[in-house]
Amino acid sequence: MNKIASVIGLLMLLGCQSEQKNTIEPFEQLTKSVDQYAENIVSRGNIKSMSVGMYKNGNTYHNYYGAIDSV
């Protein structure tokens, strides 16, 4: 009986960890894609700077690319 409870506890623990990892990865992939896109746009030279903001689950994420004052 003790072994069965241990196995069930281990499966529950592993199940919780994998679910949390899956919810983080898509957001990290999104931020990497946004970073690549913004850096590509700024490097073309058509615009000098760019700011991007995202809102998720009550949190605001933002980043700035390029330079406002460039000589």
Side-chain angles (χ1 to χ4, degrees), residues 34-44 50 65:
V34 169
D35 286 343
Q36 289 174 352
Y37 175 77
E39 290 169 2
N40 184 16
I41 293 297
V42 171
S43 70
R44 291 181 186 179
M50 177 182 207
Y65 305 91

Side-chain angles (χ1 to χ4, degrees), residues 15-27:
C16 292
Q17 288 178 349
S18 65
E19 183 177 328
Q20 184 180 13
K21 184 183 271 186
N22 289 339
T23 59
I24 293 173
E25 288 179 8
F27 187 70

